[in-house]
Amino acid sequence: MVSLKKNMGLIVIDIMCINLATIFSFYVIYEGNIPENIKNNFFMLCLIFTLTTMVVYYLLQLYNSLWKYASIDEFIKVVVASICAPVVVYLCLIFWNFRVHIGVFFLYSFFSMLLTGTNRVSYRIFKRIRVVYTNGIKEYKRVMIVGAGEAGAMVIKELKNRPEMGLKPVVVIDDDKTKHNSKILGVPVVGGRESIQRIAKQQRIDEIIVAIPSAPKREIREIFNECKKTACKLKILPGVYELIDGKVTINHIRDVQIEDLLGREPVKVDLEEISQYLKGQVVLVTGGGGSIGSELCRQVARFEPKQLLILDIYENNAYMLHQELLRHYPQLDQRVLIASVRDRARMEAIFDKYRPDVVFHAAAHKHVPLMESNPTEAIKNNVFGTLHVAECADKYGTKRFVLISTDKAVNPTNIMGATKRIAEMIIQALDAHSKTEFVAVRFGNVLGSAGSVIPLFKKQIEEGGPVTVTHPEIKRYFMTIPEAVQLVIQAGAMAKGGEIFVLDMGEPVKIVDLARDLIRLSGFEPDVDIKIEFTGLRPGEKLYEELLMAEEGLTATKHEKIFICKPVFTDLNTLRKELEKLKSMIMDSDEDLIDCIEQLVPTYRPLQKANSLKKVSG
C-alpha cells in the first residue's frame, strides 16, 4: 500500500480541487447572490465538504494507487467517490439542520469529478506529450507486436509509457481477421502471421515482440518460424499467470531462447505419485553439482525430503547449489558431500552414515571426444563409479536407485556410450538379486547443460564466429534440463525394478538448424554476419542417436512421454567376472581394453577404433 505520506502532494491538490468545486457549485446555483446565512457559515460548509469528501476518498482507496500510473480503474474510483461524497455531505447538513439548494450537490459532484479526475490523469497527459516530443527528436527502434489480445495491449501501453526504452510500437499482427484494420491504443492491426515478413520489411521493423502467453508451444514455434524470415531481433512475453495477476510490465519481456523454438508442450507430472516416494525420505544425488544433478536437487527439494544429500567431487558447483537451496528452502535439511564415486571406501562410509532411501545417480563423464582420448577415465567413473554406488545401495537398504543414462548407450560407437550401457547392465543385473528397485532413465541431449552445443555456439557468436558444426546432416534429440529432470523423477515413481525408461524426446533436430536459429536470435544473419563452418565428425560421433536397441521392446506407460524397454537379461556372476577382467586391464593397452568392452557390449561398434588405440596412464 502506498502511504499517505508519499501521496501528500496529491492530497493537498485534492483539497484545493474540493474547495474550488464547492465555491463553483454555490456560485453557479445562486448566480452569485449567495444568501447571508450561507455566507456567514461558508467556511464551515467548505470544511464539511472537504473533510467528508477526503474521508470518502480514503475509504474508496484513492490513495492506495500510484497516481503516475493512473488508468481507467482509478478514474472510475474518482467517479464513484464524487457521487458518494455529496450524498454524505447532504446527510450531514440535514443532521445539522442546515438547508442548501439541492442543485449544489449535483454541481459539486460534477465539478469535483472533473477537477480531481483531471488532477489524476494530468501526469499521464504530460508524459504522453513528452513521449511524442521525445520520439520526434531521438532514435528509437520500431517494434512489431504479435498478438492483438490483452497481453499485446499491455505491451503497447508499457512501451508508450517508457520512452527511455527507445522502443516504439508500430504495427500489430494477429490471425483474427475481425481485428484487422482496427487499432490498439493507436497502433494498427495490419494482418496475420503470414504477413510478418512483408510488413516487417515495409515498416522497417527492428524488433518483434511475441505477446501471446496463452498460445500452445507448437503455435509459438510456427510464429517464430515466420519471424525468423526477417532480420529482426525476437522477444517474447512468457507466462499467462502474469496476466492473471496483472503483473505484466516491460520487465517480463525477454529475448527468445533456443528452448522456445523446440515447440515442446510443458511436461505434466503426477505430483502426488512423486511426493509419495520422495516426501520424508533421505535422497542422495550423485553428481549433484552438475547440470542434471543440480536440477534434480532443486526439484527434489520441492517435495519435502527428510534430508537431501548433494554429492559431488567439484566443490564450487556444490557450494553454489547449497547456497541457492538455503535461500529458497531454508527449512530443508541438506548436506554437501565432497566425494568421488570412484572411491569405494568413501561411498561405503556415506551410505553407512546416512542410509539414503532414494538415490539418483547422475555422476558421470559425458563428453564423447574427451572420453575417446581418455577411455580409462570413462571406465573408472561411469562403470566402476556406478558399480560402487549401486552395490552400496543394495547393501545399505536403499529403496530405489535411478541411473541417469543416455541415448548414446544404444548401439554405442564411442567409449562414453559403451560405458553408460555397461552401467545399465550393472543395475539390471543387481536388480534381479536385490530388494532395491534399480532402474535407468535414458534420454538425449539437454539444452544448456555444461559442455553442450548451445553454450559453445553462444560463445562463438559473441566472438564474431565462425560457429562450428561437425556435419551438415548431424541430428540430435533435445530436451530442456527442467523437463528432462521432471520426467526422470516421474519415471522413478513408476519403478518396479529392472526397467530402462525411455523419454519421448520429440523429433530429432539438425544441429546446423540450431546454429542458424541461435545466430538469428542473436540479431545476426547466418553465413552473412556469422559464418557456419563444418569441421567433420569427431571420434566416436554418430550422425544420429537412437533411443532403444533392436533387441529391446518398447512398452507404453501411463505417462505419455515415458516408455519402458524390455529388460535385456544380464547374469550378475558373469558380469562381475567381466568387470574384474576390465578392471585389471585399465592399466594395460587401450587395444585390449576396447576389445574387452566389445565383448561386454556386443552392440558396441567403435567408429574410430584405430585412432583410439593409444596408451594412457591410469
Side-chain angles (χ1 to χ4, degrees):
M1 178 181 287
V2 181
S3 66
L4 291 177
K5 183 178 179 180
K6 289 183 179 180
N7 270 320
M8 191 55 66
L10 179 61
I11 292 172
V12 171
I13 296 174
D14 277 349
I15 291 172
M16 292 171 60
C17 290
I18 291 167
N19 281 277
L20 282 174
T22 306
I23 294 169
F24 290 162
S25 300
F26 278 96
Y27 187 84
V28 172
I29 288 298
Y30 290 103
E31 298 178 349
N33 299 315
I34 300 175
E36 285 299 319
N37 67 322
I38 294 178
K39 280 184 179 181
N40 295 334
N41 293 281
F42 198 72
F43 176 78
M44 186 60 65
L45 286 170
C46 286
L47 186 63
I48 292 173
F49 271 86
T50 300
L51 291 177
T52 304
T53 304
M54 293 302 295
V55 169
V56 171
Y57 282 8
Y58 177 78
L59 293 176
L60 290 177
Q61 300 183 341
L62 261 66
Y63 300 109
N64 288 355
S65 301
L66 289 169
W67 66 291
K68 68 178 180 178
Y69 298 123
S71 64
I72 190 67
D73 293 331
E74 281 70 29
F75 190 75
I76 289 173
K77 286 185 179 181
V78 170
V79 172
V80 173
S82 299
I83 294 171
C84 293
V87 173
V88 176
V89 173
Y90 177 74
L91 295 175
C92 290
L93 292 182
I94 289 178
F95 179 78
W96 188 25
N97 198 26
F98 194 90
R99 299 295 177 183
V100 175
H101 194 289
I102 192 69
V104 169
F105 301 100
F106 286 102
L107 272 183
Y108 175 75
S109 178
F110 171 74
F111 283 131
S112 63
M113 186 189 308
L114 178 65
L115 293 172
T116 57
T118 301
N119 173 31
R120 276 164 168 72
V121 300
S122 59
Y123 178 89
R124 298 289 295 277
I125 293 171
F126 288 125
K127 187 170 184 178
R128 181 58 52 85
I129 293 172
R130 183 167 65 89
V131 169
V132 174
Y133 174 73
T134 304
N135 283 344
I137 63 173
K138 66 172 282 187
E139 288 188 8
Y140 56 86
K141 291 182 179 179
R142 297 171 65 85
V143 178
M144 171 188 289
I145 309 296
V146 180
E150 293 215 11
M154 290 182 184
V155 170
I156 293 171
K157 180 180 177 183
E158 284 287 316
L159 294 181
K160 287 193 170 188
N161 290 330
R162 297 279 295 274
E164 66 274 13
M165 300 296 294
L167 300 173
K168 179 182 178 182
V170 176
V171 290
V172 180
I173 295 292
D174 197 285
D175 288 338
D176 186 351
K177 293 183 179 180
T178 62
K179 295 180 180 180
H180 295 177
N181 301 317
S182 61
K183 290 186 177 182
I184 300 177
L185 300 176
V187 181
V189 182
V190 295
R193 73 180 72 171
E194 72 284 348
S195 62
I196 287 176
Q197 185 180 15
R198 175 177 56 83
I199 299 298
K201 186 176 182 179
Q202 288 178 355
Q203 297 292 332
R204 296 174 287 110
I205 299 299
D206 300 299
E207 288 192 10
I208 299 175
I209 298 176
V210 179
I212 322 175
S214 59
K217 289 279 189 178
R218 187 170 296 276
E219 183 179 343
I220 294 293
R221 183 180 65 177
E222 291 171 358
I223 292 171
F224 286 157
N225 287 338
E226 291 297 322
C227 294
K228 286 188 299 183
K229 297 175 183 177
T230 72
C232 304
K233 188 171 180 61
L234 303 183
K235 293 188 176 181
I236 187 173
L237 178 68
V240 70
Y241 66 91
E242 293 169 341
L243 294 178
I244 295 172
D245 292 343
K247 296 178 181 177
V248 174
T249 69
I250 201 73
N251 297 325
H252 294 125
I253 298 173
R254 62 166 171 79
D255 289 341
V256 172
Q257 299 168 356
I258 200 71
E259 291 89 337
D260 297 313
L261 303 182
L262 289 180
R264 300 177 63 89
E265 296 304 319
V267 168
K268 297 176 183 177
V269 294
D270 187 336
L271 297 178
E272 183 177 352
E273 186 178 37
I274 290 173
S275 182
Q276 286 177 357
Y277 88 100
L278 292 179
K279 187 173 183 178
Q281 303 295 301
V282 178
V283 180
L284 167 64
V285 180
T286 70
S291 303
I292 298 295
S294 61
E295 184 63 24
L296 272 166
C297 291
R298 292 183 191 98
Q299 296 198 28
V300 167
R302 296 165 46 205
F303 296 100
E304 302 177 6
K306 179 181 178 182
Q307 191 174 52
L308 175 61
L309 308 175
I310 306 168
L311 188 150
D312 205 290
I313 188 63
Y314 185 53
E315 72 271 23
N316 289 354
N317 285 349
Y319 174 77
M320 295 302 292
L321 176 64
H322 172 66
Q323 294 300 312
E324 177 187 332
L325 294 178
L326 278 178
R327 292 193 301 273
H328 295 292
Y329 304 96
Q331 304 304 317
L332 174 66
D333 182 3
Q334 56 168 318
R335 299 283 190 278
V336 175
L337 308 173
I338 304 303
S340 171
V341 294
R342 298 180 180 189
D343 188 341
R344 177 60 182 258
R346 177 72 167 135
M347 291 301 103
E348 287 270 1
I350 288 171
F351 273 80
D352 185 32
K353 179 177 180 179
Y354 294 101
R355 304 288 171 130
D357 300 294
V358 180
V359 174
F360 290 100
H361 182 48
H365 284 324
K366 65 178 184 177
H367 297 293
V368 170
L370 292 181
M371 294 307 101
E372 288 298 287
S373 303
N374 302 274
T376 56
E377 300 308 301
I379 294 168
K380 288 176 186 177
N381 212 47
N382 297 357
V383 175
F384 292 105
T386 298
L387 181 66
H388 296 160
V389 180
E391 287 185 335
C392 286
D394 172 46
K395 180 178 178 180
Y396 292 97
T398 295
K399 299 174 185 176
R400 200 161 298 184
F401 183 103
V402 181
L403 167 70
I404 308 302
S405 191
T406 170
D407 55 2
K408 293 175 177 62
V410 183
N411 299 321
T413 58
N414 51 67
I415 285 290
M416 195 282 281
T419 55
K420 293 299 284 186
R421 176 58 195 145
I422 296 171
E424 291 179 353
M425 294 163 63
I426 289 170
I427 64 103
Q428 286 189 311
L430 278 172
D431 182 76
H433 302 272
S434 175
K435 292 182 180 179
T436 302
E437 294 171 344
F438 287 94
V439 298
V441 182
R442 188 188 286 166
F443 54 89
N445 300 275
V446 287
L447 288 171
S449 63
S452 69
V453 294
I454 302 305
L456 173 62
F457 287 169
K458 286 181 177 179
K459 183 67 175 175
Q460 291 174 334
I461 292 168
E462 286 174 6
E463 294 173 352
V467 171
T468 56
V469 179
T470 57
H471 193 283
E473 296 300 320
I474 193 167
K475 293 182 179 181
R476 289 292 180 266
Y477 292 96
F478 281 101
M479 184 175 275
T480 65
I481 293 175
E483 68 177 342
V485 167
Q486 286 171 19
L487 290 176
V488 166
I489 295 175
Q490 180 70 70
M494 299 177 178
K496 297 289 189 295
E499 304 100 330
I500 294 179
F501 290 98
V502 177
L503 305 187
D504 176 8
M505 300 291 294
E507 295 297 320
V509 178
K510 275 190 175 183
I511 300 299
V512 69
D513 290 342
L514 274 182
R516 290 193 180 105
D517 286 343
L518 203 56
I519 291 170
R520 289 191 183 98
L521 292 180
S522 301
F524 301 106
E525 184 67 23
D527 294 317
V528 177
D529 303 311
I530 303 288
K531 296 290 184 183
I532 295 177
E533 289 185 0
F534 298 104
T535 58
L537 291 174
R538 298 172 297 180
E541 191 172 44
K542 292 195 264 187
L543 278 179
Y544 61 92
E545 302 291 358
E546 304 158 271
L547 288 174
L548 71 159
M549 298 183 295
E551 66 267 29
E552 298 172 325
L554 200 62
T555 305
T557 68
K558 60 185 178 180
H559 195 288
E560 60 182 3
K561 292 184 179 292
I562 302 176
F563 299 86
I564 300 175
C565 291
K566 183 177 68 176
V568 178
F569 177 75
T570 303
D571 179 71
L572 182 59
N573 292 329
T574 303
L575 181 61
R576 286 189 189 280
K577 291 177 183 178
E578 293 292 333
L579 290 177
E580 284 300 320
K581 180 180 176 182
L582 182 63
K583 190 174 185 178
S584 66
M585 296 176 65
I586 286 179
M587 300 298 293
D588 296 334
S589 70
D590 283 359
E591 182 175 2
D592 293 337
L593 192 64
I594 290 176
D595 288 341
C596 183
I597 292 176
E598 285 185 280
Q599 291 179 12
L600 259 171
V601 185
T603 57
Y604 174 42
R605 296 289 183 269
L607 294 178
Q608 306 289 339
K609 183 175 180 179
N611 293 333
S612 65
L613 303 182
K614 300 175 183 176
K615 280 200 171 185
V616 295
S617 62

